[in-house]
Amino acid sequence: MCGIVGYVGDKQAADFLLEGLSKLEYRGYDSAGIAVYDGNHIRVEKSVGRLSALRDKIKDDMPQGTIGIGHTRWATHGRPSDRNAHPHTDCSGDFVVVHNGIIENYLGLKEELIEKGHVFKSETDTEVVAHLLEEVYNGDFISSVREVLHRIEGSYSLVFMSKREPDKLICTKQDNPLVIGIGEGENFIASDIPAIIARTRRTYILNDGELAVVTKDSIKITNRRGEPVTKKVFEVNWNAEAAEKGGYEHFMLKEINEQPKAVRDTMSQRIAKDGKSIVMNELKWDADYLNSFNKIYIVACGTAYHAGLVGKFYIEKLARVMVEVDVASEFRYRNPIVDENTLFIVVSQSGETSDTLAALKESKRLGAKTLALTNVVGSSIAREADQVLYTWAGPEIAVASTKAYTTQLILFFMLALYMAQIKKTQTPERLEELIAKLKNVPAQISEELSDVDPIKTFAKKYGFNEDVFYIGRLLDYDVALEGALKLKEISYIHAEAYAAGELKHGTLALIVEGVPVIALATQKSVYEKTLSNIKEVKARDAVVIGIAAEGDTELEKYVDHVIMVPETDELLLPLLTVVPLQLLAYYAAITRGCDVDKPRNLAKSVTVE
């Protein structure tokens, strides 16, 4: 997730570009850059770090010109650096592009363009687009952009600028947001409304596949075939703060709703085109490499630790390798048994978690091979690990992690499938079946998010309880741990998750009349046993909210309320059962008047022990 801006008019473009990027810095803060046409050439200025670094760099020599584009980056391909910052140019500097998203086929295109003599300056997927435009340019800017769009694959919002036709910007989108602000004698482009709200409230919201040619006096929108598209003007009635959150009340709710896209982006380049296998070019493992390990550790903190528990289940179930999960803050203090035959996997959204980084360094000292799962390119953990798998969730602003968790689960599931296909521990038919169902997950999460009223009702009814219990078995227990953490960290309700089979070993003493119990019952192999545990808490007059997969007609007989999630393979259900738990925590915090995005005593990135 990156921030994009564009300006064409009769005022100085740089003023708006910097102003707009400042409103979008929450979308990415690895680096920033602008490109402005000064009447002779396109001047590109960019800098690693926060937008302030770019401001300092050009404050005494501001680019002059009335058309330009800008970008604030959240890295996906290539670590944060000056050369990887956007905008990107072709060899001649005549074509400039900014991009939000992922070009899935960039490697093949890059190899083809290098063979034709193109020289690349960055490690990014985006630079391919600029060189491709140079390669296919036929004297007409618009038709050449259409040819580029015909050649690239992936998710993107793109803005193009050309020295050859310096009166216009061309923009388009596919699975990533893009908005055009309508002015008088000037027009604006942005990846999100906050960038333009101070200049205009009249906008066009582009749909997938639409292409807009924007000059200072006109906006012409067509489909990819060049056929005109009639758009209604969308009048923005949000205030600036709400606009930054996409109209949502809190970043946490926005990020919950971003999960379908985050999951789709994280899996997009890792599924073979025929849908029959997992592709992990970052790893390129073989059977000899995997068979050299007699043990796998997964080490993390908090939500990432809970993702690791699910990851353990996936790897053991599918790849049949023994896995141990450990809390990072405990790991290095217990003289762990780690050697050169150990694969050590660390998980951290920020890539800066102090305890996790320390555990990673200790495992390397002991000889282990290391793999990091993280969301931040170029982070300390990414640099320290031997290999890295990135989640492409985009920046997560709220302290309570949501989309980072679901993308970590996606990575673990795909890693387990990848290991299984190498080790041949699952049949090709089973792998193809699971991949097909995996591809449906983004749409299923969207389905869950389309109707949250029942969850709001439960939160209002039970949000003032001081104790809530979660129970489940197998994967349901792992997800219950994350659900309880979400509730306690943002609503301050005392919430605990228990393996349902452990109730009789002490926990039942805490179950009293009226106490809410969230019971996850999606795992078929232990379904009857879970029902038995639910009956135990109901016998003590608990109020039970059950979570089941669609098609389950039994659970409602034994609980007070039921939340249904879409039906899929039970291995994938954690990705769906966690969503109502996130929403329940969110609306409970709202009911109690808590500061959802900034809960007391907590920080987003824990960089001290």
Side-chain angles (χ1 to χ4, degrees):
M1 182 185 293
C2 303
I4 286 174
V5 290
Y7 176 85
V8 54
D10 51 17
K11 300 182 179 69
Q12 288 299 312
D15 293 340
F16 167 74
L17 299 179
L18 293 172
E19 171 194 312
L21 290 178
S22 71
K23 303 300 183 184
L24 296 180
E25 198 169 11
Y26 69 92
R27 294 179 63 91
Y29 34 77
D30 293 335
S31 58
I34 62 173
V36 176
Y37 178 68
D38 65 8
N40 295 306
H41 71 284
I42 298 173
R43 179 179 165 190
V44 177
E45 295 287 354
K46 47 192 183 178
S47 179
V48 70
R50 297 273 183 170
L51 182 62
S52 58
L54 177 64
R55 285 185 184 276
D56 291 343
K57 180 179 179 181
I58 62 176
K59 64 182 179 181
D60 296 325
D61 184 21
M62 195 73 70
Q64 301 297 303
T66 58
I67 184 169
I69 56 179
H71 189 274
T72 181
R73 183 173 186 243
W74 178 264
T76 54
H77 291 81
R79 67 179 56 206
S81 66
D82 286 353
R83 68 191 183 104
N84 287 333
H86 297 214
H88 287 287
T89 68
D90 67 318
C91 296
S92 67
D94 288 354
F95 300 101
V96 186
V97 64
V98 290
H99 167 225
N100 174 22
I102 298 168
I103 306 301
E104 295 178 8
N105 61 333
Y106 85 100
L107 278 175
L109 290 171
K110 185 173 183 177
E111 290 169 0
E112 175 186 327
L113 290 163
I114 288 172
E115 286 182 5
K116 293 181 177 181
H118 290 261
V119 177
F120 284 76
K121 299 181 284 291
S122 78
E123 305 166 292
T124 69
D125 55 335
T126 302
E127 191 182 354
V128 165
V129 179
H131 288 278
L132 184 59
L133 180 55
E134 178 188 24
E135 182 66 28
V136 304
Y137 184 69
N138 59 11
D140 181 82
F141 190 17
I142 299 171
S143 66
S144 299
V145 167
R146 288 201 182 98
E147 176 61 23
V148 168
L149 299 179
H150 180 71
R151 297 280 306 276
I152 63 174
E153 300 171 5
S155 63
Y156 49 79
S157 50
L158 287 159
V159 185
F160 301 87
M161 183 167 66
S162 173
K163 176 183 173 182
R164 313 279 181 93
E165 299 182 37
D167 64 329
K168 63 177 66 73
L169 301 175
I170 300 176
C171 61
T172 188
K173 72 171 288 283
Q174 184 68 41
D175 298 324
N176 283 273
L178 205 61
V179 59
I180 299 172
I182 307 167
E184 295 183 7
E186 59 183 358
N187 289 305
F188 313 88
I189 298 171
S191 52
D192 216 343
I193 287 171
I196 61 174
I197 200 169
R199 300 292 185 114
T200 181
R201 291 180 176 267
R202 302 179 69 241
T203 68
Y204 291 131
I205 309 295
L206 286 192
N207 294 323
D208 286 349
E210 293 178 344
L211 182 147
V213 179
V214 183
T215 69
K216 73 185 189 69
D217 296 314
S218 68
I219 300 168
K220 295 179 180 178
I221 301 174
T222 65
N223 60 25
R224 293 282 169 78
R225 295 184 298 276
E227 300 163 340
V229 173
T230 302
K231 301 286 289 185
K232 289 185 177 180
V233 174
F234 175 70
E235 293 276 354
V236 179
N237 55 16
W238 309 330
N239 61 31
E241 182 181 0
E244 192 170 287
K245 297 168 184 168
Y248 293 100
E249 187 175 355
H250 297 95
F251 278 111
M252 182 181 177
L253 186 59
K254 179 175 183 282
E255 289 157 9
I256 289 172
N257 281 273
E258 287 174 344
Q259 287 178 118
K261 180 184 183 304
V263 166
R264 187 182 299 111
D265 286 349
T266 297
M267 72 170 72
S268 62
Q269 289 183 284
R270 295 172 170 132
I271 298 176
K273 288 187 177 181
D274 62 7
K276 294 182 179 181
S277 62
I278 299 299
V279 179
M280 289 196 164
N281 292 319
E282 308 99 318
L283 303 183
K284 296 180 180 177
W285 290 351
D286 58 22
D288 289 341
Y289 183 79
L290 284 181
N291 290 333
S292 70
F293 302 121
N294 54 33
K295 190 173 188 178
I296 297 175
Y297 272 104
I298 299 174
V299 175
C301 299
T303 286
Y305 170 76
H306 295 156
L309 293 173
V310 177
K312 166 187 167 73
F313 192 99
Y314 286 160
I315 293 171
E316 291 190 341
K317 181 80 171 179
L318 295 170
R320 307 306 297 159
V321 182
M322 185 174 69
V323 181
E324 184 172 336
V325 186
D326 213 335
V327 176
S329 58
E330 295 290 324
F331 173 79
R332 62 195 171 104
Y333 297 112
R334 62 177 182 81
N335 194 19
I337 302 173
V338 174
D339 57 24
E340 64 276 6
N341 300 121
T342 303
L343 175 61
F344 194 85
I345 303 175
V346 293
V347 192
S348 169
Q349 186 282 137
S350 67
E352 302 295 343
T353 311
S354 176
D355 288 316
T356 307
L357 180 59
L360 172 59
K361 290 179 177 179
E362 176 66 5
S363 70
K364 289 188 72 174
R365 186 187 69 81
L366 295 171
K369 301 294 189 299
T370 58
L371 170 65
L373 275 60
T374 184
N375 194 36
V376 181
V377 176
S379 59
S380 297
I381 283 172
R383 295 194 305 271
E384 186 71 29
D386 298 326
Q387 294 178 299
V388 186
L389 288 175
Y390 289 110
T391 58
W392 291 318
E396 195 175 58
I397 308 301
V399 167
S401 181
T402 51
K403 62 179 180 173
Y405 174 80
T406 48
T407 53
Q408 287 163 1
L409 295 195
I410 283 287
L411 266 192
F412 269 124
F413 188 74
M414 299 183 85
L415 179 64
L417 290 176
Y418 178 69
M419 294 171 68
Q421 70 191 28
I422 293 172
K423 292 171 63 66
K424 302 188 186 311
T425 51
Q426 302 294 319
T427 65
E429 293 76 18
R430 176 60 171 157
L431 290 172
E432 188 173 349
E433 175 192 11
L434 289 172
I435 291 169
K437 291 184 176 180
L438 175 66
K439 291 165 71 174
N440 290 333
V441 167
Q444 291 178 312
I445 296 176
S446 294
E447 179 186 339
E448 291 183 282
L449 294 169
S450 65
D451 181 16
V452 300
D453 287 340
I455 296 174
K456 288 182 182 179
T457 300
F458 299 150
K460 288 178 182 177
K461 189 169 184 178
Y462 303 114
F464 286 103
N465 283 72
E466 293 306 315
D467 299 283
V468 174
F469 297 100
Y470 292 69
I471 60 172
R473 287 174 176 259
L474 299 181
L475 284 169
D476 282 339
Y477 171 53
D478 296 335
V479 178
L481 288 164
E482 175 60 14
L485 175 61
K486 285 289 145 298
L487 188 66
K488 73 179 77 172
E489 69 181 328
I490 63 170
S491 74
Y492 317 143
I493 295 172
H494 169 243
E496 295 296 337
Y498 295 95
E502 289 293 292
L503 284 169
K504 291 188 289 290
H505 298 276
T507 309
L508 272 177
L510 299 174
I511 303 300
V512 296
E513 182 179 356
V515 69
V517 175
I518 315 297
L520 285 71
T522 71
Q523 300 296 294
K524 294 177 183 178
S525 60
V526 290
Y527 184 78
E528 292 300 327
K529 293 183 180 297
T530 304
L531 284 185
S532 176
N533 300 135
I534 290 171
K535 293 173 187 177
E536 290 171 348
V537 296
K538 278 302 296 176
R540 275 78 179 173
D541 296 318
V543 176
V544 181
I545 299 173
I547 297 181
E550 288 175 350
D552 185 331
T553 58
E554 190 72 10
L555 185 62
E556 63 183 1
K557 300 175 185 177
Y558 306 103
V559 301
D560 298 282
H561 313 282
V562 178
I563 298 172
M564 290 293 183
V565 301
E567 186 177 9
T568 186
D569 191 282
E570 64 180 29
L571 289 176
L572 288 166
L573 279 167
L575 287 151
L576 304 178
T577 53
V578 76
V579 175
L581 300 186
Q582 293 169 344
L583 290 165
L584 191 61
Y586 173 80
Y587 287 112
I590 295 297
T591 297
R592 296 166 69 92
C594 300
D595 187 343
V596 173
D597 286 337
K598 298 177 181 178
R600 68 189 182 203
N601 304 332
L602 300 178
K604 182 63 182 171
S605 181
V606 183
T607 56
V608 294
E609 281 199 68

